[in-house]
């Protein structure tokens, strides 16, 4: 009998009850760095700076928290919305798609990285708009608990 090995992608993080895999994190890092997922995997395994890795993880968590909240509210940013903005930028600057991609490369970014950054900005804007005007009441006890859980940030 011939056995085939299969790599199982396990849970990397649990963000507010949502299981997130390492593949999702690797894809995020690849887009942020403008590299392939394979290169992102090598980068993550070889990176010696704990601060850089923590920075990626924290950024990823923040992005995912916003995405989960928007999804829960039925206000997620769609691929079509992101693509529409990109097309407007291209048209507004009288560029071809190739010229736009070349301009991004000159800035050290590729289209996937730009798309991800644009999506994040749209999501931040949308979550702020969704939360705008809502009263936020934080008790002193909640502040203490937050500080105790996140004291290393201060």
């Amino acid at each position: 009998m011939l056995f085939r090995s299969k790599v199982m992608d396990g849970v990397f993080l649990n963000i507010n009850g949502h299981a997130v895999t390492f593949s999702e994190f690797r894809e995020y890092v690849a887009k942020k760095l403008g590299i392939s997922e394979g290169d992102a995997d090598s980068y993550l395994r070889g990176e010696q700076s704990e601060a850089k890795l923590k920075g990626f993880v924290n950024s990823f968590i923040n992005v995912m928290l916003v995405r989960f909240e928007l999804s829960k509210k039925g206000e997620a940013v769609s691929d079509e919305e992101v693509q529409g903005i990109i097309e407007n930028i291209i048209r507004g600057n009288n560029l071809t798609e190739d010229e736009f991609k070349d301009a991004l490369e000159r800035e050290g970014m590729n289209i996937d990285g730009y798309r991800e950054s644009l999506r994040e900005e749209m999501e931040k804007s949308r979550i702020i708009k969704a939360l705008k005007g809502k009263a936020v009441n934080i008790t002193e006890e909640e502040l203490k608990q937050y500080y105790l859980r996140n004291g290393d940030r201060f």
Side-chain angles (χ1 to χ4, degrees):
M1 178 179 231
L2 185 65
F3 290 97
R4 299 176 113 184
S5 66
K6 182 177 180 182
V7 175
M8 299 298 286
D9 195 14
V11 174
F12 174 63
L13 293 169
N14 184 324
I15 303 173
N16 283 359
H18 297 275
V20 180
T21 65
F22 182 76
S23 291
E24 291 171 286
F25 176 65
R26 182 181 52 227
E27 179 182 348
Y28 173 80
V29 170
K31 287 179 180 176
K32 292 304 264 182
L33 294 176
I35 59 178
S36 71
E37 288 185 40
D39 288 343
D41 193 56
S42 296
Y43 171 84
L44 290 167
R45 292 177 194 280
E47 180 56 57
Q48 299 296 312
S49 170
E50 188 174 319
K52 282 185 182 179
L53 293 174
K54 279 185 177 180
F56 275 119
V57 170
N58 287 334
S59 176
F60 178 71
I61 290 170
N62 288 333
V63 166
M64 296 308 290
L65 285 170
V66 168
R67 285 188 184 157
F68 293 145
E69 187 63 25
L70 287 174
S71 180
K72 187 168 68 176
K73 294 178 177 299
E75 298 183 28
V77 174
S78 70
D79 292 340
E80 293 78 18
E81 289 175 281
V82 174
Q83 187 59 36
I85 297 293
I86 290 172
E87 289 169 4
N88 287 339
I89 292 169
I90 291 170
R91 247 190 330 272
N93 288 289
N94 294 319
L95 298 171
T96 66
E97 190 172 332
D98 287 337
E99 289 171 332
F100 182 67
K101 287 178 181 179
D102 289 344
L104 289 175
E105 285 182 22
R106 285 192 299 276
E107 296 296 320
M109 189 178 284
N110 66 19
I111 190 69
D112 290 334
Y114 182 75
R115 189 174 277 116
E116 180 66 22
S117 294
L118 180 60
R119 178 183 303 278
E120 288 174 24
E121 290 305 313
M122 292 172 72
E123 289 169 338
K124 286 177 194 174
S125 175
R126 194 164 287 178
I127 197 76
I128 289 168
K129 195 176 202 179
L131 297 174
K132 188 176 181 181
K134 290 189 177 183
V136 178
N137 296 317
I138 301 172
T139 66
E140 190 170 329
E141 181 61 30
E142 289 172 321
L143 283 173
K144 285 180 188 176
Q145 290 301 317
Y146 180 82
Y147 181 77
L148 290 173
R149 285 192 312 267
N150 298 285
D152 60 325
R153 291 182 160 180
F154 300 98

